Amino acid sequence: MKRYEQLAADIAEGIRSGVLRPGDRLPSVRQASTSRGVSPTTVFEAYYLLEARGAIEARPRSGYYVRAPAAGGPAEPATSSPPEASTTVEISELVFEVLGAIRERDVVPLGSAFPSPALFPLDKLALHLSKAMRHLDPWQTVEDLTPGSESLRRLLALRYVVEGTAADPAEIVVTNGAMEALNLCLQAVTKPGDVVAVESPTFYASLQALERLNLKAVEVATHPRTGVDLASLAAVLERHPVKACWFMPNFQNPLGCLMPDENKRALVELLARHGVPLIEDDVYGELHFGPRRPPPAKAFDRAGLVMHCSSFSKCLAPGYRVGWVAAGRFAERIARLKLMTTLSAPVPSQQALVSYLQQGGYDRHLRRLRETLSSRQAIALRLIAKHFPKGTRTTRPDGGYFLWVELPAGVDALKLHRLALSQRISIAPGHLFSADRRFASCVRLNIGHPDDPRFERAMKTLGQLAGSLVPA
Amino acid sequence: MKRYEQLAADIAEGIRSGVLRPGDRLPSVRQASTSRGVSPTTVFEAYYLLEARGAIEARPRSGYYVRAPAAGGPAEPATSSPPEASTTVEISELVFEVLGAIRERDVVPLGSAFPSPALFPLDKLALHLSKAMRHLDPWQTVEDLTPGSESLRRLLALRYVVEGTAADPAEIVVTNGAMEALNLCLQAVTKPGDVVAVESPTFYASLQALERLNLKAVEVATHPRTGVDLASLAAVLERHPVKACWFMPNFQNPLGCLMPDENKRALVELLARHGVPLIEDDVYGELHFGPRRPPPAKAFDRAGLVMHCSSFSKCLAPGYRVGWVAAGRFAERIARLKLMTTLSAPVPSQQALVSYLQQGGYDRHLRRLRETLSSRQAIALRLIAKHFPKGTRTTRPDGGYFLWVELPAGVDALKLHRLALSQRISIAPGHLFSADRRFASCVRLNIGHPDDPRFERAMKTLGQLAGSLVPA
């Protein structure tokens, strides 16, 4: 981590812990430079970064101040309060109807699940792909079959260990993206009719997976900043024969919430007491704005009950279709399911990643990517404050590239979706994120398209359209 | 097709149609050269090819003769007679137990499902991969998502059309190999508890798919040369509420049988009358030894009920994980299932195949591959005749790389498997190829490893081991 990042991280931690409060004045650049023993440029860069992230604000001729969340932008949504009953899921038709039409290039992709492909080092990856495949031992095409390339699994295990999570190459199964990993996990631990706990709101793909496998969903109250509410989860576990949880402790889709480490530990312990496996979707974990990669829940797992799923699709190599699961005690079952359904992950993609991870500069790329997304979020928050109707609330996650925007009561996000699409702007209406189509006034916005010159105008248009839907 | 191939094809057709009979003497090289207006070399090459394929034999100082199948090698197995009842499937444990241990390089892979990776133009593919990915438009990573690269789907549709099968790019879904295509098809048209008809014996992966999805199997009598017995199928359709058939009309695994065109037509019409979808597994169709690619059943489909699945894994690009299904009326349902489970086929692999199919010399490669496999089959048949116990029967397919060997009654193929494995030879015991572990005296042998110097010795060892298991 660079010096200015360290300084910014320390200040952010101060704000988080309450040592610095909204309205507090930060030390002047000169003071900070002297007391930290760094150059004034470093301090400027740190302050600039924090400003871009919306944590502090410059007041002309006065200096930098810790920003008051309420005053500095839209308020945050409240913790969700899902129904107590479990429910069958019928959401797929709606998901395909809404998201099917929005892959055209002339649509501003605020509803997309993917960040801009221009954010990724695709040319560099192509070089590693060429190098790795040019003199491939033909037998590698057999040996890279499921559970996957041994070199890749070793490199993945190494990253876990470096980040403080115990993981063994032998428990890792390479998959066709995280989507396959998550689906295989779900299949490995459930049978039709079983109940699975999900967050509220939750990623629509988890609902689609439940629907496909004839599983029932029970939703758990989720805080927009700290994620799954553990007391609610404990109650759910008492009331329902839950066979698995599918959660995203890091930068959840759509809320962007990040479970504090202690909550993750408590979550894992609670589930272990009930013998319930955790399917952990961690595809955004690398996209943290803070100084350190938040650990996965898997870091606290002692019982082998956590299946940690991730991929390179959102942070490095879209389209390569390489994901994985570190599956603990379920590894063999999952490998077998994969052999029966898709046999293996693609060898060229696996080999390219092995080469890139060894020599490509992954961490450098990630640092740049995080900075980009963090500053794009700040811009998006400002645009919402400026253009969206009064009473709009929004999350301000510490990572990822989604904002969850709660529009004033009475605004129908599906109507907004249709209006926006007629202006060639896509959004993901809140209806997609629960089994019973709650969150009807919410939308998920993708802010991860910095190369799209239409973004600002689209946000303005969207705000105006939303305003036109506010009941008089 | 080259001249000698055309000549060989004409002679083979003469044998097939009965114009030439076992024991008939072929024209001398000089005669044939004059009457066909080709060089003596061309005639020699044609005769050599037919000899390699076991269709004719040279008799010293006499000339070439049409070979008598009975005299020229082991007899053929009989048509199967499966039980009438449908049955739940529990085969996966056994499949993994038997096949799990045989991926080591020091095991002679007679039990493998894959031909030798050395048979494929992997270096050339790597060049096309590099070229295609070097200046990839980043948005291609989005546009190649399911249903898959439009260029690739167009090229595939073109191949269908050239071969005389109507297919539309819009009905093609690119998948992670044929295995995924087949599984998605099955999911698209069944629900747990449904009955699915399969051949007898059938590829174990179809049984595993049925088991995984809680489907019941009903097996249909299958002729070792002409495939599914249509009268038996008609009876099965009367007796059982069959929701789908999973068949391999071209070079079935494990029998290698090839349904005559007229049978395919009748099959498609029979199923259309019953409204039953056909899941057609055609991964070996390109590996024909005869002059023309046998059409798929899909060529006769008017109702959109045939889902034609294939891939490049067995004929061009192992490990690339690119397969597809031309799914008729089920295309959208299958695309949605894929979006929900693995999202997309790998972009690098798709792009490499687009480039290779346009300029790589696919048909030239296929011709060489077919010749290789055809002559390897002839060698294997001779080794079986020489080393295997008296009473052994075997198929002699017109394509693919499997032989189905029926050992004398009383020989237990699972015992043989264990004995062989202790000698570092793998086989696929017949037990894997039915829901109720019939075919206990049969084995499937893979003859597609011409680069393996251990092949001849392994066949001899295997024959001796089989001999040691024949009851006194």
Side-chain angles (χ1 to χ4, degrees), chain B residues 207-443:
Chain B
L207 294 172
Q208 288 180 294
L210 267 52
E211 180 175 345
R212 188 177 66 83
L213 297 172
N214 293 303
L215 299 165
K216 285 182 184 165
V218 57
E219 298 180 37
V220 183
T222 304
H223 186 277
R225 222 174 328 106
T226 57
V228 168
D229 183 85
L230 292 173
S232 303
L233 176 61
V236 161
L237 292 172
E238 294 300 334
R239 263 200 311 271
H240 297 278
V242 171
K243 288 296 185 293
C245 295
W246 173 328
F247 293 155
M248 301 184 71
N250 293 330
F251 313 126
Q252 192 249 11
N253 178 357
L255 288 175
C257 48
L258 172 64
M259 288 185 82
D261 292 359
E262 275 321 299
N263 290 23
K264 287 173 184 159
R265 184 192 303 276
L267 167 68
V268 170
E269 287 169 359
L270 174 64
L271 293 181
R273 280 199 300 280
H274 288 264
V276 172
L278 172 62
I279 300 168
E280 179 175 25
D281 181 354
D282 193 22
V283 293
Y284 305 109
E286 295 287 3
L287 304 180
H288 51 93
F289 302 162
R292 115 201 135 111
R293 190 215 196 281
K298 164 117 185 140
F300 306 100
D301 183 28
R302 299 287 165 271
L305 280 170
V306 178
M307 290 166 271
H308 179 259
C309 303
S310 192
S311 89
F312 293 107
S313 305
K314 306 292 175 58
C315 52
L316 176 64
Y320 276 61
R321 308 310 301 137
V322 176
W324 71 90
V325 52
R329 61 168 83 163
F330 306 103
E332 190 182 352
R333 207 183 302 175
I334 286 170
R336 288 181 167 198
L337 281 170
K338 171 139 180 72
L339 281 167
M340 285 193 276
T341 47
T342 63
L343 196 61
S344 163
V347 173
S349 298
Q350 292 187 74
Q351 291 294 324
L353 284 162
V354 167
S355 174
Y356 179 89
L357 289 176
Q358 284 168 340
Q359 307 162 22
Y362 186 31
D363 290 302
R364 203 162 56 238
H365 155 71
L366 283 174
R367 274 199 299 275
R368 268 197 307 268
L369 178 61
R370 290 170 194 139
E371 277 174 35
T372 304
L373 295 178
S374 161
S375 64
R376 294 309 293 185
Q377 187 197 84
I379 291 167
L381 288 169
R382 282 201 281 273
L383 290 168
I384 290 171
K386 192 165 167 192
H387 298 299
F388 277 53
K390 206 161 161 278
T392 297
R393 292 162 175 265
T394 176
T395 56
R396 46 178 77 222
D398 291 321
Y401 49 86
F402 291 127
L403 294 179
W404 180 250
V405 178
E406 190 179 310
L407 297 162
V411 175
D412 180 347
L414 267 180
K415 266 192 202 150
L416 181 59
H417 150 71
R418 280 183 216 111
L419 286 176
L421 202 56
S422 73
Q423 308 275 322
R424 309 311 279 161
I425 300 166
S426 75
I427 59 170
H431 303 69
L432 307 183
F433 298 88
S434 72
D436 59 357
R437 307 190 188 193
R438 291 187 331 286
F439 307 108
S441 297
C442 296
V443 296

Side-chain angles (χ1 to χ4, degrees), chain A residues 105 137 143 176 319 336 347, chain B residues 93 105 137 143 176 319 347:
Chain A
R105 283 204 202 192
D137 176 350
E143 290 174 355
N176 297 81
R336 287 181 168 197
V347 174
Chain B
E93 272 301 315
R105 283 203 201 193
D137 175 351
E143 289 173 356
N176 297 81
V347 173

Side-chain angles (χ1 to χ4, degrees), chain A residues 138-434:
Chain A
W139 282 94
Q140 203 70 45
T141 61
V142 178
E143 290 174 355
D144 281 2
L145 292 178
T146 297
S149 154
E150 192 175 337
S151 306
L152 182 56
R153 288 183 293 125
R154 282 189 185 284
L155 286 163
L156 290 170
L158 190 62
R159 283 192 76 85
Y160 277 108
V161 170
V162 167
E163 288 158 2
T165 301
D168 190 312
E171 66 170 307
I172 294 177
V173 180
V174 181
T175 58
N176 297 81
M179 185 73 90
E180 182 179 40
L182 293 159
N183 273 277
L184 293 176
C185 291
L186 198 56
Q187 247 181 286
V189 297
T190 61
K191 52 181 200 317
D194 282 351
V195 176
V196 175
V198 297
E199 289 136 336
S200 169
T202 186
F203 179 33
Y204 48 79
S206 69
L207 295 172
Q208 289 180 294
L210 266 53
E211 179 175 346
R212 187 177 67 82
L213 297 171
N214 294 304
L215 300 165
K216 285 183 183 162
V218 57
E219 299 180 37
V220 183
T222 304
H223 185 277
R225 222 174 329 108
T226 57
V228 168
D229 183 84
L230 292 172
S232 304
L233 176 61
V236 161
L237 292 171
E238 294 299 335
R239 263 199 312 270
H240 297 278
V242 171
K243 288 294 185 297
C245 295
W246 174 326
F247 293 154
M248 300 185 71
N250 294 331
F251 314 125
Q252 191 251 11
N253 178 355
L255 289 176
C257 48
L258 172 63
M259 288 183 82
D261 292 1
E262 275 320 300
N263 289 24
K264 287 172 183 159
R265 183 191 302 275
L267 167 68
V268 169
E269 286 169 0
L270 175 63
L271 293 180
R273 279 198 300 279
H274 288 263
V276 172
L278 173 62
I279 301 169
E280 180 175 24
D281 181 353
D282 193 21
V283 294
Y284 305 109
E286 295 287 3
L287 304 181
H288 51 93
F289 303 162
R292 110 201 140 114
R293 189 217 197 282
K298 165 119 183 137
F300 305 100
D301 183 28
R302 299 286 165 270
L305 280 171
V306 178
M307 292 166 269
H308 179 259
C309 302
S310 192
S311 89
F312 293 108
S313 304
K314 308 291 175 61
C315 52
L316 176 64
Y320 276 61
R321 309 307 303 138
V322 176
W324 70 90
V325 52
R329 62 168 82 164
F330 305 104
E332 190 181 353
R333 208 182 302 173
I334 286 171
R336 287 181 168 197
L337 282 170
K338 172 141 181 72
L339 281 166
M340 286 194 275
T341 47
T342 63
L343 195 60
S344 164
V347 174
S349 298
Q350 291 186 75
Q351 291 293 324
L353 284 163
V354 166
S355 175
Y356 179 88
L357 289 176
Q358 284 169 338
Q359 307 161 21
Y362 186 31
D363 289 301
R364 205 163 52 239
H365 155 70
L366 283 176
R367 273 199 300 275
R368 267 196 308 269
L369 178 60
R370 289 170 196 141
E371 275 172 37
T372 304
L373 295 179
S374 161
S375 62
R376 293 309 291 184
Q377 188 198 83
I379 290 168
L381 287 170
R382 281 201 282 271
L383 290 168
I384 289 172
K386 191 164 166 191
H387 297 300
F388 276 53
K390 205 162 162 286
T392 297
R393 292 163 176 265
T394 177
T395 55
R396 47 178 78 222
D398 290 322
Y401 48 86
F402 292 129
L403 293 181
W404 179 251
V405 179
E406 192 180 310
L407 297 162
V411 176
D412 181 347
L414 267 180
K415 269 193 202 148
L416 181 60
H417 151 70
R418 282 183 214 112
L419 285 176
L421 203 56
S422 72
Q423 308 274 325
R424 310 311 279 160
I425 300 166
S426 75
I427 60 170
H431 304 68
L432 308 183
F433 299 88
S434 72

